[in-house]
C-alpha cells in the first residue's frame, strides 16, 4: 500500500476512536454503568465508567466520523460507512469497559495506571468490532497501535508543561 493510502486510512480509523475515547473525560454523568454493583467484593466496573460518559463517547465518535466522510475522500470508498463508524465508536467504548472490568478483577483501583492496556484498550475494541464491517489492513493496525503509544506520551508531557498534570507520564 502507498504511504498516503495508509495515512488516510489511519485517520479514518483513528478520528472516531480518539474522539469517542476523549469525549467522556469532558462529558460524563453520575450514574455508573455497573450501578455500583460488586462482583466477589469488588466493583464490576467502578465509578470511572458512567452511562452518560459511554453515550457521549459513542455520539461524539460517530459525529467525528460523519464529519470526516466529507473531508477525506477515501472514507467515501468504504462500504456501509455509517455502520463502520458506529462499530468503531461502540467498539472503542467496549474496549475501555472490558479493560476496566479486568482492572477491577486484578485489584487495580479506578484511575490507576495499567501500562499499554490503558492506551490500547479502545483501539483494540474499535478494531475488533469494526472488523465485522471492514477488515483492517495489517499496516493500518500497526500504525494505529504505534502512534497511540506516542500520542499518549505527547499528550501527557504537554499536560505536564501546561501544569495540568504533576508528572510528565
Ligand atoms: N468516563 C465515563 N464513562 C466511560 C468512560 C470514561 O464517564 N465509559 C469518564 C469518567 O469520568 C472517567 C474519565 O472519563 O474517570 C476517564 O476515563 P478512564 O481513564 O477510562 O477511566 P478511569 O477513571 O481511569 O477508570 P479505570 O481505572 O476504570 O480505567
Ligand atoms: Mg484512566
Amino acid at each position: 500500500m502507498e504511504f498516503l493510502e495508509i495515512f488516510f486510512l489511519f485517520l479514518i480509523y483513528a478520528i472516531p476512536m480518539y474522539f469517542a475515547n476523549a469525549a467522556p473525560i469532558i462529558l460524563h454523568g453520575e450514574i455508573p454503568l455497573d450501578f455500583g454493583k460488586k462482583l466477589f467484593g469488588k466493583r464490576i466496573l467502578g465509578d470511572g465508567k458512567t452511562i452518560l460518559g459511554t453515550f457521549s463517547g459513542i455520539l461524539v465518535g460517530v459525529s467525528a466520523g460523519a464529519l470526516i466522510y466529507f473531508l477525506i475522500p477515501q472514507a467515501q470508498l468504504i462500504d456501509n460507512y455509517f455502520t463502520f463508524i458506529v462499530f468503531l465508536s461502540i467498539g472503542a467504548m467496549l474496549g475501555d469497559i472490558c479493560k476496566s472490568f479486568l482492572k477491577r478483577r486484578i485489584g487495580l483501583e479506578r484511575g490507576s495506571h495499567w501500562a499499554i492496556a490503558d492506551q490500547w484498550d479502545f483501539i483494540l475494541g474499535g478494531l475488533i468490532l469494526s472488523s465485522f464491517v471492514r477488515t483492517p489492513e495489517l499496516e493500518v493496525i500497526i500504525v494505529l497501535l504505534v502512534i497511540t503509544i506516542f500520542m499518549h506520551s505527547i499528550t501527557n508531557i504537554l499536560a505536564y508543561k501546561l501544569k495540568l498534570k504533576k508528572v510528565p507520564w
Side-chain angles (χ1 to χ4, degrees):
M1 265 211 291
E2 253 183 82
F3 171 78
L4 261 182
E5 206 179 330
I6 297 172
F7 178 66
F8 284 130
L9 276 170
F10 160 75
L11 288 181
I12 291 165
Y13 274 89
I15 290 169
M17 293 195 281
Y18 274 74
F19 274 84
N21 191 53
I25 301 170
I26 300 158
L27 190 67
H28 54 84
E30 291 288 322
I31 306 167
L33 267 179
D34 66 4
F35 294 103
K37 288 193 169 56
K38 292 180 176 176
L39 186 70
F40 300 119
K42 291 190 174 100
R43 284 288 296 275
I44 300 177
L45 300 172
D47 286 332
K49 304 294 108 112
T50 67
I51 294 176
L52 191 70
T54 307
F55 279 101
S56 82
I58 296 168
L59 204 72
V60 172
V62 172
S63 306
L67 194 68
I68 58 169
Y69 183 80
F70 301 100
L71 302 176
I72 305 174
Q74 275 75 5
Q76 293 157 22
L77 302 175
I78 294 174
D79 290 329
N80 303 309
Y81 183 76
F82 186 72
T83 314
F84 173 67
I85 56 172
V86 170
F87 279 25
L88 270 180
S89 305
I90 294 178
M93 289 295 101
L94 285 178
D96 176 53
I97 290 166
C98 289
K99 178 218 55 190
S100 289
F101 179 80
L102 291 176
K103 274 172 100 173
R104 300 303 90 82
R105 302 290 73 72
I106 59 174
L108 289 172
E109 294 298 321
R110 175 253 173 113
S112 60
H113 289 290
W114 191 14
I116 310 286
D118 273 333
Q119 294 151 45
W120 282 355
D121 56 359
F122 71 103
I123 297 288
L124 293 175
L127 278 172
I128 292 169
L129 199 63
S130 70
S131 68
F132 287 99
V133 187
R134 181 184 188 282
T135 308
E137 294 77 1
L138 187 62
E139 297 95 318
V140 175
I141 298 174
I142 293 168
V143 173
L144 275 166
L145 293 176
V146 173
I147 299 270
T148 301
I149 293 287
F150 280 105
M151 283 284 279
H152 188 82
S153 314
I154 293 167
T155 47
N156 282 342
I157 292 168
L158 208 70
Y160 169 72
K161 295 264 185 217
L162 294 170
K163 301 199 189 326
L164 293 171
K165 282 186 85 209
K166 284 199 172 73
V167 287
W169 55 80

Short mmCIF file of all heavy atoms in Angstrom, two decimals, residues 49 96 99 103 110-113 118, ligand 2:
data_model
loop_
_atom_site.label_atom_id
_atom_site.label_comp_id
_atom_site.label_asym_id
_atom_site.label_seq_id
_atom_site.Cartn_x
_atom_site.Cartn_y
_atom_site.Cartn_z
N LYS A 49 -16.69 4.49 34.82
CA LYS A 49 -17.49 4.19 33.63
C LYS A 49 -18.94 4.55 33.93
O LYS A 49 -19.61 3.87 34.70
CB LYS A 49 -17.41 2.67 33.27
CG LYS A 49 -16.00 2.13 33.05
CD LYS A 49 -15.28 2.70 31.84
CE LYS A 49 -14.19 3.64 32.22
NZ LYS A 49 -12.83 3.25 31.97
N ASP A 96 -12.64 -0.12 26.30
CA ASP A 96 -12.32 0.60 27.54
C ASP A 96 -13.06 -0.03 28.73
O ASP A 96 -12.49 -0.18 29.82
CB ASP A 96 -12.72 2.06 27.33
CG ASP A 96 -12.55 2.90 28.57
OD1 ASP A 96 -11.44 2.89 29.13
OD2 ASP A 96 -13.52 3.58 28.97
N LYS A 99 -11.50 -3.33 29.67
CA LYS A 99 -10.24 -3.10 30.40
C LYS A 99 -10.51 -2.76 31.85
O LYS A 99 -9.83 -3.25 32.75
CB LYS A 99 -9.43 -2.00 29.73
CG LYS A 99 -8.14 -1.68 30.45
CD LYS A 99 -7.82 -0.21 30.45
CE LYS A 99 -8.96 0.64 31.02
NZ LYS A 99 -8.74 2.07 30.81
N LYS A 103 -9.28 -4.61 35.12
CA LYS A 103 -8.54 -3.88 36.16
C LYS A 103 -9.14 -4.16 37.54
O LYS A 103 -8.40 -4.42 38.50
CB LYS A 103 -8.59 -2.36 35.90
CG LYS A 103 -7.50 -1.86 34.95
CD LYS A 103 -7.72 -0.40 34.58
CE LYS A 103 -6.87 0.56 35.37
NZ LYS A 103 -6.99 1.95 34.86
N ARG A 110 -9.91 2.37 40.55
CA ARG A 110 -10.37 3.25 39.48
C ARG A 110 -9.34 4.39 39.32
O ARG A 110 -8.94 5.00 40.30
CB ARG A 110 -11.74 3.83 39.86
CG ARG A 110 -12.27 4.86 38.89
CD ARG A 110 -12.18 6.24 39.49
NE ARG A 110 -12.53 7.27 38.52
CZ ARG A 110 -13.61 8.01 38.62
NH1 ARG A 110 -14.44 7.85 39.61
NH2 ARG A 110 -13.83 8.93 37.71
N GLY A 111 -8.92 4.63 38.08
CA GLY A 111 -7.99 5.71 37.79
C GLY A 111 -6.52 5.31 37.90
O GLY A 111 -5.64 6.10 37.55
N SER A 112 -6.26 4.10 38.35
CA SER A 112 -4.87 3.65 38.46
C SER A 112 -4.32 3.38 37.06
O SER A 112 -5.09 3.16 36.12
CB SER A 112 -4.80 2.37 39.29
OG SER A 112 -5.58 1.37 38.66
N HIS A 113 -2.99 3.39 36.93
CA HIS A 113 -2.39 3.17 35.61
C HIS A 113 -2.12 1.71 35.36
O HIS A 113 -1.67 0.98 36.22
CB HIS A 113 -1.08 3.97 35.49
CG HIS A 113 -1.33 5.42 35.39
ND1 HIS A 113 -1.91 5.98 34.28
CD2 HIS A 113 -1.15 6.43 36.27
CE1 HIS A 113 -2.05 7.28 34.49
NE2 HIS A 113 -1.61 7.57 35.68
N ASP A 118 -4.15 0.56 29.19
CA ASP A 118 -4.87 1.83 29.25
C ASP A 118 -4.81 2.59 27.93
O ASP A 118 -5.64 3.45 27.65
CB ASP A 118 -4.27 2.73 30.34
CG ASP A 118 -4.90 2.46 31.71
OD1 ASP A 118 -6.06 2.03 31.75
OD2 ASP A 118 -4.22 2.69 32.73
MG1 LIG B 2 -7.69 6.13 33.24
#
